[in-house]
Amino acid sequence: MHRMSERETARGGLRERKKRATRAALTEAAVRLAAEHGMEKVTVEAISAAAGVSPRTFFNYFASRDDAFLILDADAAERIRRAVLDAPAALTPLQAVRDALACELAEAEQQHELWTLHAQVLRTAPELLVRSLGAHLADETRLAEAVAERLAPGAGTGVPQEPAPAARATGQAAADAEERRKALDLYPRLVAAVAGTAVRVSVEHWCSRPDEGAFADVFRQVFALLAAGLPAPSRT
């Protein structure tokens, strides 16, 4: 069996980083152009030019113009899933999810402006907002599946895996995701859903009070409260 050399592995890693950087640049360009000019006035050609690539390259990453607006980082869900599965066995499922999410949110303060613009753009296009919410729900399902696999390694879920990002908006993909959620037990679904809510609350709280501390501190505090069973704060 052929084994990849360290140089080949490094080249593969570099290619993947370049691909992620290109996708991120295209998504950021799309969001910023839409925030400035209105989404209806943004073209594939304008997005590609702003990102420094050709329209042909754009379609290597997105099936349509609208797909560029849906998710800021389409690969994040897979990285989180992998990190949960690879986390030390001594960690609880919630701790494994916390650490996986913390890695993805390490640059939250730097990304705050882009996230805000993205939310504004989605609010102007209800059909895209619905698709975006569906994509996030699919990501939550993938996280729940990772928690379930961590609890019972090798057991699987008995249903098809998540389709590629470009296929998420199809009716069949939505039906498949619903079947996958039904196949999961309560605990992994709850962990994934609570984690998603914890991220949203952490971001919203920090955005409203950025002078009170770093986002990472707010994020850790939220998960510490969850781990402690959400005890009521002491009255002083």
Side-chain angles (χ1 to χ4, degrees), residues 115-144:
W115 292 352
T116 300
L117 291 177
H118 184 236
Q120 292 174 356
V121 169
L122 289 179
R123 283 196 293 269
T124 68
E127 69 285 358
L128 283 184
L129 179 58
V130 171
R131 287 182 62 195
S132 178
L133 292 174
H136 282 294
L137 183 57
D139 289 343
E140 182 183 297
T141 301
R142 297 179 76 185
L143 177 56

Side-chain angles (χ1 to χ4, degrees), residues 37 66 93 144 184:
H37 304 291
D66 287 358
L184 289 162

Side-chain angles (χ1 to χ4, degrees), residues 28 31-32 108-118:
E28 181 171 352
V31 169
R32 292 190 181 281
E109 295 187 25
Q110 292 78 9
Q111 294 294 318
H112 169 227
E113 180 206 6
L114 183 60
W115 292 352
T116 300
L117 291 177
H118 184 236

Side-chain angles (χ1 to χ4, degrees), residues 11-33:
R11 282 202 298 266
L14 179 60
R15 282 195 297 270
E16 287 304 312
R17 288 196 296 273
K18 286 183 176 180
K19 287 171 62 177
R20 288 199 298 269
T22 299
R23 178 186 285 273
L26 286 165
T27 299
E28 181 171 352
V31 169
R32 292 190 181 281
L33 287 170

